[in-house]
Amino acid sequence: MIALVCNCSLSFAQNGIVVFQTDFGLKDGAVSAMKGVAMTVDKKLQLFDVTHEIPAYNIWEAALRLEQAAAYWPKGTVFVSVVDPGVGSERKSVVLQTQNDYFFVSPDNGSLTLIAEKMGIKEIREIDEKINRLPGSAQSYTFHGRDVFAYTAARLAAGKITFKQVGRLLSPEIIRIDYQKPVLEHGVVKGTITILDIQYGNVWSNIDQKLLMRTGFKIGDSLLVKIYKKDSLIYSGDLLFANTFSAVPELQPLCYLNSLFNFSVAVNMGNFAATYKIGSGPGWKMEVRKER
Amino acid sequence: MIALVCNCSLSFAQNGIVVFQTDFGLKDGAVSAMKGVAMTVDKKLQLFDVTHEIPAYNIWEAALRLEQAAAYWPKGTVFVSVVDPGVGSERKSVVLQTQNDYFFVSPDNGSLTLIAEKMGIKEIREIDEKINRLPGSAQSYTFHGRDVFAYTAARLAAGKITFKQVGRLLSPEIIRIDYQKPVLEHGVVKGTITILDIQYGNVWSNIDQKLLMRTGFKIGDSLLVKIYKKDSLIYSGDLLFANTFSAVPELQPLCYLNSLFNFSVAVNMGNFAATYKIGSGPGWKMEVRKER
Amino acid sequence: MIALVCNCSLSFAQNGIVVFQTDFGLKDGAVSAMKGVAMTVDKKLQLFDVTHEIPAYNIWEAALRLEQAAAYWPKGTVFVSVVDPGVGSERKSVVLQTQNDYFFVSPDNGSLTLIAEKMGIKEIREIDEKINRLPGSAQSYTFHGRDVFAYTAARLAAGKITFKQVGRLLSPEIIRIDYQKPVLEHGVVKGTITILDIQYGNVWSNIDQKLLMRTGFKIGDSLLVKIYKKDSLIYSGDLLFANTFSAVPELQPLCYLNSLFNFSVAVNMGNFAATYKIGSGPGWKMEVRKER
């Protein structure tokens, strides 16, 4: 009886919201077809987006965007992430249920790395494509996004299938992208430049607020920031640690905590990344220490 | 009595969903104004998009995007397509009901070419702009998209007007774009490059799976693919016919069936169109034969 | 008793629709996080967009896009506009209720200039961030868009707070951008180029239809149009005043009333702004007189 209750609560953890993310762009009808499939499953679903402008095949960025947005949605939301360079190969199609009851429908190719770290894995199931596939689509080898991922996500979100009915339970492990995690060594904080906030050219790291607090850095400090591309020093400067861009004159650089509470650098009313030719990803590292 | 029932079922074929397509882009407020008009008509409508990134005035691409996405939406969905270089001229504003009960609100300028071929025409009505026009908008000569098309689509989708009330019945003919249809001649398949899948640079033709099957081509075959711009040979190569990009090494070209089940060529993890300078549209032709 | 009824009607003027505008772009998860916050407040809200492609920090364009789209939405709609170069500085966070009962949630930095002129100010309240802030977000100094603006807009739209509960009443004044208003002097109409319709390169002014009618200009007239960048003459030409682009041959310029009923110039099937190197904003002026 207890087990039954437990199964029931699992199967109704979904909330009817589906949030889509792809690297398809919005110039053609591919995203629209995915949403059409979802509406055909159940007109009462509510459909939203993270972004469809993930650079083609960029799994690292897919992982970051899910981490950035997912926690702000209601629990029970079903996310569909389709950045899938290995479509048709042996990579698995999975649904991950996090400890806090979000659902992520995605190829198991690293896209779920950061969400799994942040929210924890409750269960992972492999999508049984014999059952969970848009009727009539079996001959399509190349549009899993529409025929498997969107269809399964919609049916799960609408309660047409339980989480169990997605497919067989896998061991709670996923393919993970290897990247430099933030560390504090001898008063120096080291981390990775995870992403450029491209609209503004701000440079975001994975050095989080808690680690910074252990260093004793505080707003108003001048910090020595170094940026490396692999082992080459690309930028070095003393930057004010501020809580508003306007704390420094226009076109001057500063450092701050971004909306994810991560250490970041920017130019007030300017573009840090373009000015100093900074990139992002596992190859780009940042070091921060208090100026002496 | 039977006729009455039939009329009733026609008038309620709509399902409350409106899907928008334009060449307006999303940088200004034009698409938002269209959706605002629809919400003002009825807050219970559900509004979605095909794309708003159709290249300016590109009717061919408008036709393609409707064909790509529409069939995945529930029957009864009302599509609004506004790619309208002839706005204000003598072109008609119409609503096309397809044989399978989708509705397309559009200028009759070729945008409906492929949907009419694919789904068949049940009825076409000309929008009576004396009735079906946003109140107070009569002095606006240039924004039919908002004042006529969005308004009429919303009222039709919400059941505020029946299909009959759109306006007078036209003969079931539309303006059609002339293009090379796929043919099989002496073992060679010929067709048109309909579109570039620009996010990835894949090259899509209108050569469909059924025609290919008549040739006997099968997965694993090596096929000789030639691409012409008008009469000039631009590309010629022997390509593996695969059902997954990873069937060839990275940066190698291949051919495959795309998500529309059409013959296409691509480079695994690369960009075929950019690499070989391939374009699309009626001027670009593709030939395929089995390698000997 | 009358006062009570009045308060009640104020507190229920909202209609459950939230429309977002930012300069964030759609490449990352920032807009999605804002919508997630709104859905977490109330799943029954309906969420839409003006645009998220406002050029970074461009308050003038933020003001224009609100003016372009807002009036087409149902009364009671709550707009959120986040173009906020002064985030973290002393600029106020406000909600403006217009005379006709739309709501605008925005930094008070000029973004509301044109809406206030067009719709009139009924009341302005400063957002009390001690109450109206996403729980747990107090340490985030840089994402007011999500934690304050989206959260407050969603709660207001859903009726979780009344307009009064936004915060204290301010005097009914806002920060306004200074710009050249349209005037008629000695038969010459003068105004500002407010914006380029960038998808097509059309050039839009703030010279409205009513002012034009006072001049006696009418469709079919040839008008002498001059464009100045500050005091330098950039373009001068005699243009047909037409109500359809196809009134002139392809690639020929014309003048017309745009969808906002404002005087504009364009090239039929071409790009006026690119051809003649025209920009927009307070520095760009247009003069029109009837050709003699």
Side-chain angles (χ1 to χ4, degrees):
Chain A
M1 191 61 191
I2 288 168
L4 184 65
V5 170
C6 175
N7 282 342
C8 286
S9 72
L10 275 179
S11 59
F12 290 94
Q14 309 91 290
N15 65 14
I17 297 175
V18 184
V19 183
F20 294 82
Q21 168 176 291
T22 70
D23 61 353
F24 300 165
L26 290 169
K27 291 188 172 135
D28 67 16
V31 169
S32 186
M34 290 176 75
K35 291 187 177 172
V37 164
M39 276 292 104
T40 303
V41 165
D42 190 340
K43 269 190 56 185
K44 290 189 298 296
L45 290 172
Q46 294 178 282
L47 310 184
F48 297 95
D49 308 282
V50 179
T51 176
H52 297 285
E53 307 290 342
I54 301 284
Y57 310 128
N58 191 328
I59 291 168
W60 173 247
E61 197 162 322
L64 282 166
R65 297 318 181 192
L66 290 180
E67 184 200 25
Q68 181 184 3
Y72 292 95
W73 288 86
K75 287 187 184 185
T77 296
V78 176
F79 293 83
V80 189
S81 178
V82 188
V83 178
D84 197 10
V87 62
S89 69
E90 291 305 305
R91 65 99 187 98
K92 292 192 179 95
S93 301
V94 302
V95 183
L96 183 162
Q97 181 177 20
T98 62
Q99 291 288 354
N100 53 356
D101 287 327
Y102 292 89
F103 296 87
F104 294 86
V105 182
S106 173
D108 181 23
N109 60 7
S111 295
L112 302 176
T113 300
L114 301 177
I115 276 295
E117 281 179 17
K118 187 176 182 174
M119 296 186 172
I121 298 172
K122 184 182 276 183
E123 277 189 14
I124 303 178
R125 292 182 178 275
E126 182 169 9
I127 298 174
D128 181 346
E129 297 186 11
K130 292 191 302 294
I131 303 166
N132 294 305
R133 173 186 270 281
L134 184 66
S137 69
Q139 288 169 297
S140 171
Y141 293 103
T142 54
F143 203 176
H144 270 61
R146 182 189 65 207
D147 301 334
V148 175
F149 294 119
Y151 180 70
T152 300
R155 298 221 300 160
L156 179 63
K160 306 263 176 183
I161 56 170
T162 63
F163 183 52
K164 259 192 174 171
Q165 290 173 304
V166 164
R168 71 186 176 101
L169 193 64
L170 301 178
S171 64
E173 284 154 22
I174 55 164
I175 303 292
R176 292 180 193 255
I177 300 167
D178 190 34
Y179 70 102
Q180 174 63 54
K181 299 197 181 178
V183 291
L184 170 61
E185 291 173 350
H186 313 297
V188 180
V189 184
K190 297 178 180 175
T192 297
I193 297 179
T194 46
I195 197 79
L196 305 179
D197 180 14
I198 32 180
Q199 185 84 344
Y200 305 96
N202 302 340
V203 172
W204 292 9
S205 81
N206 61 350
I207 299 167
D208 60 277
Q209 188 185 27
K210 280 180 191 157
L211 184 62
L212 277 179
M213 285 175 75
R214 282 171 50 201
T215 66
F217 301 166
K218 61 183 189 303
I219 297 297
D221 283 351
S222 180
L223 301 179
L224 175 59
V225 176
K226 293 183 176 176
I227 295 174
Y228 295 87
K229 183 180 182 179
K230 295 199 171 137
D231 296 325
S232 309
L233 182 66
I234 306 292
Y235 173 84
S236 177
D238 295 323
L239 303 182
L240 180 68
F241 186 35
N243 58 24
T244 164
F245 283 20
S246 52
V248 301
E250 290 196 8
L251 303 184
Q252 290 300 305
L254 74 153
C255 53
Y256 68 106
L257 291 179
N258 70 7
S259 56
L260 300 169
F261 299 101
N262 286 332
F263 187 82
S264 302
V265 297
V267 169
N268 182 22
M269 306 294 286
N271 187 310
F272 192 102
T275 306
Y276 301 106
K277 300 188 172 28
I278 307 299
S280 66
W284 289 85
K285 290 175 187 168
M286 193 185 281
E287 287 185 10
V288 193
R289 72 177 74 201
K290 197 157 177 178
E291 205 190 358
R292 270 164 268 220
Chain B
M1 190 64 190
I2 288 167
L4 183 66
V5 169
C6 175
N7 282 341
C8 286
S9 72
L10 275 180
S11 61
F12 291 94
Q14 310 91 289
N15 65 14
I17 297 176
V18 184
V19 182
F20 295 82
Q21 169 175 290
T22 71
D23 61 354
F24 300 166
L26 290 169
K27 291 189 170 132
D28 67 17
V31 170
S32 185
M34 291 174 77
K35 292 187 177 174
V37 165
M39 277 291 105
T40 303
V41 165
D42 190 338
K43 268 190 56 185
K44 292 189 295 297
L45 290 171
Q46 294 179 281
L47 311 183
F48 297 94
D49 308 282
V50 179
T51 176
H52 298 284
E53 309 288 343
I54 301 284
Y57 310 126
N58 192 326
I59 290 168
W60 173 248
E61 196 162 324
L64 282 166
R65 297 318 180 191
L66 290 179
E67 183 199 27
Q68 180 183 3
Y72 292 95
W73 289 86
K75 288 187 184 185
T77 295
V78 177
F79 293 84
V80 190
S81 178
V82 188
V83 177
D84 195 11
V87 63
S89 69
E90 291 306 303
R91 65 99 186 99
K92 291 194 180 96
S93 301
V94 302
V95 183
L96 184 162
Q97 181 177 20
T98 62
Q99 292 288 355
N100 53 356
D101 287 327
Y102 292 88
F103 297 88
F104 294 86
V105 181
S106 173
D108 181 23
N109 60 9
S111 295
L112 302 176
T113 300
L114 301 176
I115 276 295
E117 282 180 15
K118 188 175 180 172
M119 296 185 171
I121 298 172
K122 184 181 279 183
E123 276 189 16
I124 302 178
R125 291 182 179 274
E126 182 170 10
I127 298 175
D128 181 346
E129 298 188 11
K130 291 191 301 297
I131 302 165
N132 294 304
R133 172 187 272 279
L134 183 66
S137 69
Q139 289 169 297
S140 171
Y141 293 103
T142 54
F143 203 176
H144 270 61
R146 182 190 65 206
D147 301 334
V148 175
F149 294 119
Y151 180 71
T152 301
R155 296 222 300 162
L156 179 63
K160 305 265 176 183
I161 56 171
T162 63
F163 182 51
K164 259 192 174 172
Q165 291 173 303
V166 164
R168 72 187 176 98
L169 193 65
L170 301 177
S171 66
E173 283 155 24
I174 55 163
I175 303 291
R176 293 180 192 256
I177 301 167
D178 189 35
Y179 69 100
Q180 173 63 53
K181 299 197 183 179
V183 292
L184 170 60
E185 291 173 349
H186 312 298
V188 180
V189 184
K190 297 177 180 178
T192 298
I193 297 179
T194 48
I195 197 76
L196 304 180
D197 179 14
I198 33 180
Q199 184 83 345
Y200 305 97
N202 302 340
V203 171
W204 292 10
S205 82
N206 61 351
I207 299 167
D208 60 276
Q209 187 184 28
K210 280 181 190 156
L211 185 62
L212 276 181
M213 286 174 75
R214 283 172 49 204
T215 65
F217 301 165
K218 61 183 189 303
I219 296 296
D221 282 352
S222 180
L223 301 178
L224 176 60
V225 175
K226 291 181 177 179
I227 295 174
Y228 296 87
K229 182 180 183 181
K230 299 205 166 127
D231 295 327
S232 310
L233 181 66
I234 306 292
Y235 173 84
S236 177
D238 295 322
L239 304 181
L240 179 68
F241 188 34
N243 59 22
T244 164
F245 283 21
S246 52
V248 300
E250 290 196 9
L251 304 183
Q252 290 301 305
L254 73 155
C255 53
Y256 69 106
L257 291 179
N258 70 9
S259 55
L260 300 169
F261 299 100
N262 285 332
F263 187 81
S264 304
V265 296
V267 168
N268 182 22
M269 305 294 286
N271 186 311
F272 192 100
T275 304
Y276 300 106
K277 298 189 175 26
I278 307 300
S280 65
W284 288 85
K285 290 177 186 164
M286 194 186 280
E287 288 185 11
V288 192
R289 73 176 74 201
K290 196 155 178 180
E291 204 190 0
R292 269 166 268 225
Chain C
M1 192 62 191
I2 288 167
L4 183 67
V5 169
C6 176
N7 281 340
C8 287
S9 72
L10 276 179
S11 60
F12 290 94
Q14 309 92 287
N15 66 12
I17 297 176
V18 184
V19 183
F20 294 83
Q21 168 175 290
T22 70
D23 62 353
F24 301 165
L26 289 169
K27 292 190 171 132
D28 68 16
V31 169
S32 185
M34 290 175 76
K35 292 187 178 173
V37 164
M39 276 291 105
T40 303
V41 165
D42 191 339
K43 268 189 58 184
K44 291 189 296 296
L45 290 172
Q46 293 178 283
L47 310 185
F48 297 95
D49 308 283
V50 180
T51 176
H52 297 284
E53 308 288 342
I54 302 285
Y57 311 127
N58 192 326
I59 290 168
W60 174 248
E61 195 161 325
L64 283 165
R65 297 318 181 192
L66 289 179
E67 184 200 25
Q68 181 183 4
Y72 292 95
W73 289 87
K75 288 187 184 186
T77 296
V78 177
F79 292 84
V80 190
S81 178
V82 188
V83 177
D84 196 10
V87 62
S89 69
E90 291 306 303
R91 65 100 186 97
K92 292 193 180 94
S93 301
V94 302
V95 183
L96 184 162
Q97 182 178 20
T98 62
Q99 292 288 354
N100 53 357
D101 287 327
Y102 292 88
F103 297 87
F104 293 86
V105 182
S106 173
D108 180 24
N109 60 8
S111 296
L112 303 176
T113 299
L114 302 176
I115 275 295
E117 282 179 15
K118 187 174 183 175
M119 297 188 172
I121 298 173
K122 183 181 279 183
E123 277 190 13
I124 303 179
R125 293 181 178 275
E126 182 170 8
I127 298 174
D128 182 347
E129 296 186 12
K130 291 190 302 296
I131 302 165
N132 294 305
R133 171 187 272 281
L134 183 66
S137 69
Q139 288 168 297
S140 171
Y141 293 102
T142 52
F143 203 176
H144 270 61
R146 183 190 65 207
D147 301 334
V148 175
F149 294 119
Y151 180 69
T152 300
R155 295 220 302 161
L156 179 64
K160 305 264 177 183
I161 55 171
T162 64
F163 182 50
K164 260 193 174 172
Q165 290 174 304
V166 164
R168 71 188 176 98
L169 194 64
L170 300 177
S171 64
E173 284 153 22
I174 55 162
I175 303 291
R176 290 179 194 258
I177 301 167
D178 189 35
Y179 70 100
Q180 174 64 53
K181 299 195 182 180
V183 292
L184 171 59
E185 291 172 349
H186 313 297
V188 180
V189 185
K190 297 178 181 176
T192 298
I193 297 179
T194 48
I195 199 74
L196 305 179
D197 180 13
I198 32 181
Q199 185 83 346
Y200 305 97
N202 303 341
V203 172
W204 291 10
S205 82
N206 61 350
I207 299 167
D208 59 277
Q209 187 184 28
K210 280 178 191 159
L211 185 62
L212 276 179
M213 287 174 74
R214 283 172 49 204
T215 66
F217 301 165
K218 59 183 192 299
I219 296 296
D221 284 351
S222 181
L223 301 177
L224 175 58
V225 176
K226 292 183 178 178
I227 294 175
Y228 295 87
K229 183 181 182 180
K230 299 205 168 128
D231 295 327
S232 308
L233 182 66
I234 305 292
Y235 173 85
S236 178
D238 294 323
L239 303 182
L240 179 69
F241 187 34
N243 59 22
T244 163
F245 283 21
S246 52
V248 300
E250 291 197 8
L251 303 183
Q252 291 300 304
L254 74 154
C255 52
Y256 69 105
L257 292 178
N258 70 7
S259 55
L260 301 169
F261 299 100
N262 286 331
F263 187 81
S264 303
V265 297
V267 169
N268 182 21
M269 305 295 286
N271 186 311
F272 192 102
T275 305
Y276 300 108
K277 298 190 175 22
I278 307 299
S280 65
W284 288 85
K285 291 175 186 165
M286 193 185 281
E287 289 184 10
V288 192
R289 72 177 74 202
K290 196 156 175 177
E291 204 189 1
R292 269 166 269 221

